[in-house]
Amino acid sequence: MFLSSRTIFVGLCFLFVLAPCFTRATTNEVQVSCDSHNFNNGKHFRSCVDLPVLDSFLHYSYVRETGVNEVAYRHTNIESSSWIAWGINPTSKGMIGAQTLLAYRNSTSGFMRAYTSSINGYSPMLQEGPLSFRVTQLSAEYLNGEMTIFATMVLPSNTTVVNHLWQDGLLKEGDRLGMHSMSGDHLKSMATLDLLSGQVTATKEANGKVLLVKKIHGLVNAVCWGVFMPIGVMATRYMRTYKGLDPTWFYIHI
């Protein structure tokens, strides 16, 4: 017994509409917002940004006239045997020249250490040193799988947009900072930040989002040209010859 032409037509349309949704369902993740976070030390910040990769968040209170920027960089879902870093690059959008804040948990004492380091090469030792701008009130904490760096920095007055980057890696023996991963999200953790609006723009090729759109586009094309188009052609070629399938074949073709 054949289904009614209307039922078949509605079913095919429904499948066509849902095809892209199936791809999105596998790629969407539950996003955690920085707005709902409360700091244990009672600190409050006027702005916060959910950074796009590495489970990271940036909270800050910026005064444009003086350049004073009080920040808290949070990295969630991280082991205590790891180090984290966040920094601003005043001269370019890459790693070279970045003025960074770093922190890690001492494996012997369990105390947190926070310090500054200026990156001058692609294989830096991340040794302690002064930055090109003043940093005060530098500290760090680790609690429940979350590591946070607190600091107050003084940027040039009337700064509105900065190039910033963030990173993490594992500690080696003797609490030496190991190299961060050179793949995946670790290569996407840099962006420009508008300190006034809080808007983050990826420095790399709009990275994961562009790649995701391309994959979805390719999959939908494959389904349309590889499944729906042949079905439409076969409906016209083989079904229209049967009188009992008129006008069902036409709706399937459409």
Side-chain angles (χ1 to χ4, degrees), residues 1-13 239 244-252:
M1 179 182 295
F2 292 105
L3 295 174
S4 70
S5 58
R6 179 177 296 179
T7 301
I8 295 174
F9 179 70
V10 171
L12 288 173
C13 289
M239 297 180 67
L245 295 179
D246 191 18
T248 302
W249 70 267
F250 178 73
Y251 290 122
I252 293 177

Side-chain angles (χ1 to χ4, degrees), residues 45-62:
F45 298 87
R46 288 196 292 269
S47 306
C48 72
V49 177
D50 301 338
L51 299 180
V53 294
L54 299 184
D55 298 321
S56 296
F57 307 87
L58 181 67
H59 303 253
Y60 65 95
S61 296
Y62 176 62

Side-chain angles (χ1 to χ4, degrees), residues 113-150:
R113 183 194 176 200
Y115 66 96
T116 61
S117 179
S118 180
I119 298 178
N120 298 314
Y122 284 107
S123 298
M125 299 300 293
L126 298 177
Q127 295 178 335
E128 184 171 2
L131 304 186
S132 61
F133 46 79
R134 187 160 59 93
V135 176
T136 62
Q137 299 178 314
L138 180 60
S139 64
E141 67 177 22
Y142 180 78
L143 184 65
N144 298 326
E146 179 174 299
M147 197 173 291
T148 306
I149 301 176
F150 299 96

Side-chain angles (χ1 to χ4, degrees), residues 166-204:
W166 58 101
Q167 199 56 260
D168 71 71
L170 293 175
L171 292 177
K172 293 184 176 181
E173 185 178 355
D175 288 341
R176 292 181 295 112
L177 276 60
M179 185 66 181
H180 65 76
S181 174
M182 295 299 294
S183 63
D185 288 344
H186 291 269
L187 298 181
K188 306 173 186 177
S189 56
M190 60 182 69
T192 58
L193 170 65
D194 189 316
L195 293 170
L196 303 183
S197 68
Q199 182 178 358
V200 172
T201 304
T203 300
K204 294 277 185 178

